[in-house]
Amino acid sequence: MENEQQETIDFSDAEIVEPEPGEQATDGSGLILASDMLPEEIYIITGTNKPVFPGMMFPLVLAPGTLADIVKETAGKKDRPVGFVLAKEDVSEAEPEKIIKHLHKIGTAARIVDFQTGPDGAVRALLQGLKRFEILKLAVREEKILARVVYLKEKPASGDKAKALALSIMNTMRELIKNNPVFSEEIKTFLSRNTWENPGLLADLSVSITSATRDELQQILETLDVEKRLEEALYLLRKELDLNELKERITHQIEERISKQQRDFFLREQLKAIKEELGLEKDDKTSEIEEFQARLEKLTLPAEAAGRIEEEMEKLRVLPPQSPEFTVVRNYLDWLTKLPWGVLTEDKLDVARARRVLDRDHHGLEDVKDRILEFIGVSKLRGSVVGSIICLIGPPGVGKTSLGRAIAEALGRKFFRFSLGGMRDEAEIKGHRRTYIGAMPGKFIQTMRSTGSQNPIIMLDEVDKIGASYQGDPASALLEVLDPEQNNDFLDHYLDVRFDLSKVLFIATANVLETIPGPLLDRMEVIRLSGYIEEEKLAIARRHLIPRLLPDHGLTKDDIRFTPGGIKTIIRGYAREAGVRALEKGIKTCMRKVASQKAEHGETQMVVIDGDKAEEMLGRKHFPDQVLMKQSQPGVTTGLAWTPLGGDVLFIEAMAIPGKEGFKQTGQLGDVMQESSTIAFSYVHSNAKRFGVEPDYFTRHSIHLHVPAGATKKDGPSAGITMALALISMARQESTPQRVAMTGELTLIGQILPVGGIKEKVIAAKRSGITDVILPEDNRQDFEEIPAHVREGLFPHYVSDCREAFTLLFEGKLDEIRQARKSDRQAAREEALQKQQSRGKAAG
């Protein structure tokens, strides 16, 4: 062996138990196996999944190859054993040189009891384990593993403890027979002998019938102390017994559950058959199918939907009610059969009736109501309202949502509203696919089911606040819904059947146009709602708000009365916004205070809300009359601005600080307004002498231009003229006439450019008590298109150059116009008085 050239692994550092001279090998029970001693060099086989124990009979089947050759060679030599050693890991496909690096040190020698060779060269053998050995050296010879070994001697066990352990093992093995009939005969034969007298063999063979791991069995093989081996074997047997009991318990539970389900199924089928024979009530499944069929008879289904419903009905008929898929199919059919296929509401295309409804619910907004009536008139001539998407644009509180309800009532259609504000998931529009748990259709299919009509009015609130996220872009999904060319075949992901939305009238609302996606806005017909003037707010409060709020506060018209002066005080001091929400809040506050006093003191006397009483109840005014207060100072002018909340007045303040020349702007101005202020400064500076300003005035002063309300961002191309006149007023130390406001953009050569939002700005001017407005000449037509009742009391002055505005304000032309206007009014009053007196004399 030492002269072999193959790779070897030296185990010489291991603890070796040398066999005693003359010791003969036994099978562990004391029987002598042969007259010769076991050889020191044996072939090694590693193909077993578990270790081999002494005394153990086991079969071995080997395919043609090296291991089969080892068995053939060994079988030809009488009483020559083969060594079985367990590998530490799976090396079945490795070469012998690598296998020997992964072998355990302790294995078992086994003799070949029977041997057969098949026609294909395969080997079938029966072997018996003989004795434990420990490997000293390994070598590879002709692809065969050869080992030099020493046979190990056990440390015998004796005494009562060893006997008790042996008897415990035997009793545990008898219990295992009950649950494992495969080993029953073998174990009974083994236990019929006095196995407790040979405890080592008992421990070895007992663990061979367990499901212990290969490492646990290898540990038993390597334990030479028989008493300790008995303890470890008993632990593995008890563990196996507990595992078998758990398996039995689980099997019993499953069998009970299956038996109960089968019993319940047969009982339900029998009950169903009995009820059918007696003509009694039907089961839930049959009742649901009949209900679906009854719904279908009332609908006019397209071919695609009819085919899909029939398929799902057939599927529902064969599915058991306990199946999870049964619930999915039933819910799907419930949606399909509850949709209003072919159910239409008859339109009431009566323009006169629509006018009455709109006038009843909305005061003012004449241009908006006229536009809606035109829309209804065109629909009447066409015979249908198809392919229409109205978008109501305006500040909060001007009645966009209530206007949509009035349109629905005027047309006699069902109305449904939902908000798109903050919507970020495309599935809310087009639904979830049915593969998801809890899937549902999108908002539009849900709306169709709720309204029960295929042609309702759907209001899409806050379309300018729709969002987008990783879950999709709802605005893009809306294109298919709102586009008249596509929505006749709208496909919801949940339904997976096309539904016609072309007969729906969509009404969208928004505060601003800029944030509405372009492709979406392109499909809409925009109608602007600019806001209300004071007279309109007064009428709305008296005709709508107060009657509606009285019962909400437990009051009657005998408990509280609002005078026109009281309502105007609320409007002017607390509710100058474009809508009427702040006005409604002010009225509510007054009513709450009156209701509280009545509840506490039981007062029955009517409370009259006049101007003083309203101010007492509401506290300090939110909007003092800043126009008169600020316009009385040099360097201050009043501009008109457009905001998303409607029109508003804007004050421009200019101040000169003696010292080095300079110019700065404050007030959170955007880029456009900063450019406008720079243009205004350059224009006034270069034309100082023309405006009556000392030529070196701007070189001797640092100019500061400020727009109050610095916490609010401001931007837009409409303040150039206002800034220029503020600088002129500052330099001349001359204030502008009171109750004058202006708007217009300025160029470097002094021209006044047209601006937008004229209607909103004019309404804001009227709310603020302005009487004269300076407008660009090119906006003349915009002003004249404003309804007459809104323009009443406002006098426009059109300018195309800044010098014309300068002439109006600083050279007395506006005062002359006002004086002439005053004279005309006086003459008109005198003429009216004279006519009245003449009619009186004639009557006398």
Side-chain angles (χ1 to χ4, degrees), residues 489-537:
D489 286 329
F490 174 68
L491 185 64
D492 184 272
H493 289 157
Y494 179 84
L495 288 187
D496 201 24
V497 175
R498 301 187 183 279
F499 192 88
D500 186 3
L501 296 179
S502 62
K503 298 177 178 60
V504 177
L505 173 59
F506 295 99
I507 301 178
T509 70
N511 297 132
V512 293
L513 284 178
E514 287 72 19
T515 55
I516 302 177
L520 201 57
L521 182 62
D522 186 54
R523 289 165 170 79
M524 297 178 178
E525 191 169 352
V526 175
I527 299 178
R528 293 183 177 273
L529 287 76
S530 302
Y532 301 104
I533 60 176
E534 182 178 299
E535 290 78 5
E536 292 173 338
K537 287 186 176 182

Side-chain angles (χ1 to χ4, degrees), residues 9-10 28 87 112 119-120 178 232 262 342 376 383 401 410 426 443 472 571 579 635 652 682 709 764-765 820 833:
I9 298 179
D10 192 350
I112 300 174
D120 57 350
K178 302 174 184 178
E232 293 181 1
Q262 291 175 339
I376 295 175
T401 302
E426 180 184 332
K443 290 282 189 184
I571 295 171
I652 307 292
S682 299
L833 183 60

